[in-house]
Amino acid sequence: MTDFRWDPELIARYNINGPRYTSYPTALALSSPFAHEHVISALAADDRTLSVYIHLPFCHKLCYYCGCNKVITRHQGKADTYLDALENEMKLYRSLLKARKLGPLHLGGGTPTFLTEEQLTRLMTMLETHLGLVANGEHEISIEIDPRSCSLEKLKHLRTLGFNRVSYGVQDFDNTVQIAINRVQDDEMIETLVHKSREYGFDSINLDLIYGLPHQHPESFQRSLDKVVELNPDRISLFSYAHLPARFAAQRKLDKGALPNPEMKLQLLEMGIRTFTAAGYQFIGMDHFARADDELAKVQREGKLQRNFQGYTTHGSDALLGLGVSSISQINGVIWQNEKDLPDYYQAIEQRQLPVIKGVSLTHDDQIRADLIAEVICHFKLDIIKFESKWSLTFKEYFADSFPRLAPFTEDGLVTLTDKELVVTDLGRLWVRSICSTFDAYLLDGQQSYSKVV
């Protein structure tokens, strides 16, 4: 990505609220009640290998910026109760999955490393016993890690359990920022974990950063960026902080006056993109970077990158099973979400019911638009001739309503459009979410429910 033009007019025009398009339709389109028969039919439709996401909501301490579904507690026994429920959810799915294979696994949260070594062992044993998921190195087995909750002994134990990818939540190395967000962690601890991850044989290491946090400014943020480059992870995530205190009560504890203004926030993003691309990272898109030899970068160059509720992925976008409170699944054109509140999740499991609270079955139009948006957001281009042939349509006719909304992007050089292809230019990559939104049939209402696109 070489074409930068941090034009205030472009920022004002295109830095709108919009979805991240981890799915289309997005999670806001899910409705309740949702018949479990849709879930059962989706699982029976074919025998593709499924990716699995498990949500582990517990955290020892509250991070003020966080908008995740989480439970703050010091009581380790609550994780045992949760594992009991997860095991029963697995049993409910076992008969529906039959002999269907499960492959890639990702543990998110909350803080997955809230679990003790014994609890982590139990979880992996449950997956093998009830769902046949074996961590034998054939698939990516990944986990999000809060460095404060992962000793070297636990890290080594994760490797023996078959985990081969780790993602560390750094957010920012600056101590003033860490104090402001209530997440103080020692640089040396993170450095040690990263170095030991390589020593223990993890295939891929990711570091998460956030820009737009209180007290961040260019000089201190550049030091954090340089520190990340020095640690040389395989992947980097550079997320935009979305300040939504009306939705997330913990964010009300932040000093709003200490947040960087919109111009500075964009400057921090520019610094991140320049620093990481100069260090040899491939800009995957939106907020992700990867070393050229990392699998994520390889599949993008091969035109095979996909996107699901976990973000950019090398796996199927329509073959993800989510387990645990608030988890979202997408399989064979059906999207469903589990109960968001722990008591409701437990109650459904106790009644031996799938804990599904809402969902949606994609229409033919949804599938067409989902395919288009996925291509653009993953590869920044669309082969119109191939797309027309695949879906038996005429592009200009089918998306006639989108062309007036797309026109400003072409006029400002963010998109080039011919009869054969749509291409997002280097300059337009920052605004790919806004560009995709021109093809979104659901955005006429409720756009304010999303965060700013950069």
Side-chain angles (χ1 to χ4, degrees):
M1 183 174 178
T2 57
D3 185 3
F4 283 106
R5 189 166 84 242
W6 299 89
D7 187 327
E9 289 187 11
L10 288 181
I11 293 169
R13 192 177 308 162
Y14 297 120
N15 195 20
I16 60 174
N17 295 63
R20 296 181 57 80
Y21 291 115
T22 50
S23 73
Y24 181 87
T26 69
L28 287 185
L30 305 186
S31 60
S32 182
F34 188 68
H36 291 182
E37 286 74 16
H38 296 306
V39 174
I40 295 169
S41 298
L43 291 170
D46 63 38
D47 59 355
R48 285 178 300 167
T49 297
L50 295 178
S51 299
V52 180
Y53 170 77
I54 299 180
H55 192 78
L56 300 163
F58 303 106
C59 298
H60 288 116
K61 197 171 184 180
L62 180 65
C63 298
Y64 295 158
Y65 63 86
C66 184
C68 299
N69 186 299
K70 57 193 174 295
V71 175
I72 309 301
T73 182
R74 288 287 181 180
H75 299 290
Q76 199 67 40
K78 290 190 175 182
D80 289 313
T81 302
Y82 188 71
L83 289 175
D84 291 341
L86 267 179
E87 183 165 25
N88 286 325
E89 186 181 4
M90 291 178 194
K91 291 177 181 177
L92 291 171
Y93 274 109
R94 178 170 55 188
S95 61
L96 302 176
L97 291 168
K98 297 182 170 55
R100 193 165 188 170
K101 292 183 179 179
L102 302 184
L105 169 70
H106 182 74
L107 304 187
T111 304
T113 44
F114 176 95
L115 272 61
T116 64
E117 293 172 34
E118 293 76 15
Q119 290 167 336
L120 286 163
T121 299
R122 180 189 171 192
L123 175 59
M124 297 304 289
T125 301
M126 284 161 39
L127 283 164
E128 182 173 359
T129 300
H130 302 300
L131 300 180
L133 193 156
V134 181
N136 56 8
E138 182 181 353
H139 298 288
E140 186 176 275
I141 308 295
S142 61
I143 183 171
E144 297 170 10
I145 294 178
D146 180 339
R148 302 169 300 173
S149 65
C150 189
S151 64
L152 294 182
E153 291 74 19
K154 185 178 289 188
L155 182 65
K156 184 180 290 187
H157 186 65
L158 288 169
R159 189 71 190 97
T160 63
L161 289 176
F163 286 87
N164 50 29
R165 181 174 177 266
V166 287
S167 180
Y168 292 107
V170 174
Q171 322 319 350
D172 196 302
F173 281 103
D174 185 79
N175 187 248
T176 301
V177 176
Q178 292 179 1
I179 292 172
I181 63 176
N182 201 37
R183 188 186 177 96
V184 178
Q185 47 196 15
D186 183 68
D187 291 10
E188 186 176 345
M189 172 180 61
I190 296 172
E191 292 170 17
T192 300
L193 284 168
V194 170
H195 294 322
K196 288 296 183 180
S197 296
R198 292 197 178 92
E199 181 182 318
Y200 296 159
F202 286 92
D203 296 334
S204 181
I205 302 167
N206 178 82
L207 297 184
D208 283 347
L209 291 180
I210 298 177
Y211 68 96
L213 294 173
H215 300 291
Q216 283 181 333
H217 56 82
E219 183 179 349
S220 65
F221 195 60
Q222 187 63 57
R223 288 196 294 269
S224 289
L225 297 174
D226 292 340
K227 188 73 175 178
V228 170
V229 170
E230 181 184 330
L231 290 172
N232 193 29
D234 302 279
R235 301 179 189 177
I236 302 168
S237 299
L238 180 60
F239 296 115
S240 169
Y241 170 64
H243 190 61
L244 301 169
R247 285 179 58 189
F248 307 116
Q251 294 184 355
R252 299 168 201 162
K253 296 178 180 292
L254 297 176
D255 178 3
K256 185 178 180 180
L259 295 172
N261 61 37
E263 292 75 21
M264 182 179 290
K265 186 178 179 184
L266 266 294
Q267 183 181 353
L268 300 178
L269 172 60
E270 176 189 10
M271 290 167 55
I273 294 173
R274 289 191 183 279
T275 299
F276 296 142
T277 54
Y281 286 90
Q282 183 171 317
F283 182 47
I284 301 298
M286 287 176 54
D287 39 33
H288 283 70
F289 304 80
R291 285 285 180 199
D293 59 350
D294 186 87
E295 192 65 21
L296 204 63
K298 290 179 183 177
V299 296
Q300 186 180 50
R301 293 196 300 271
E302 294 168 359
K304 298 177 181 177
L305 185 66
Q306 299 183 60
R307 193 159 172 80
N308 63 20
F309 284 101
Q310 295 170 35
Y312 289 108
T313 177
T314 60
H315 320 301
S317 59
D318 195 36
L320 172 67
L321 177 65
L323 301 173
V325 65
S326 77
S327 288
I328 302 179
S329 304
Q330 179 169 357
I331 301 172
N332 292 319
V334 180
I335 303 174
W336 66 91
Q337 183 171 27
N338 281 356
E339 294 279 4
K340 291 185 177 182
D341 296 323
L342 208 48
D344 295 330
Y345 171 76
Y346 285 153
Q347 182 178 12
I349 297 296
E350 287 169 4
Q351 294 173 352
R352 298 184 180 180
Q353 296 177 354
L354 292 177
V356 177
I357 181 61
K358 57 184 178 178
V360 65
S361 294
L362 273 64
T363 65
H364 185 64
D365 178 67
D366 289 337
Q367 293 171 8
I368 291 171
R369 293 176 186 273
D371 188 25
L372 184 156
I373 289 172
E375 279 296 309
V376 173
I377 209 165
C378 288
H379 303 110
F380 303 108
K381 62 182 179 180
L382 178 74
D383 184 326
I384 292 175
I385 305 300
K386 187 182 295 184
F387 188 83
E388 289 179 323
S389 175
K390 178 179 180 179
W391 293 103
S392 301
L393 54 79
T394 301
F395 189 80
K396 284 187 176 180
E397 293 179 5
Y398 195 91
F399 295 105
D401 291 345
S402 296
F403 276 72
R405 298 197 295 271
L406 187 63
F409 294 95
T410 60
E411 292 166 3
D412 286 329
L414 307 184
V415 171
T416 60
L417 180 65
T418 68
D419 291 338
K420 293 184 177 181
E421 64 178 1
L422 182 155
V423 177
V424 178
T425 65
D426 278 359
L427 178 63
R429 290 191 177 199
L430 285 178
W431 315 108
V432 67
R433 288 168 64 184
S434 301
I435 293 165
C436 287
S437 73
T438 64
F439 297 96
D440 190 330
Y442 291 83
L443 273 189
L444 295 179
D445 299 313
Q447 192 156 341
Q448 70 281 358
S449 301
Y450 299 100
S451 62
K452 293 290 185 184
V453 296
V454 294

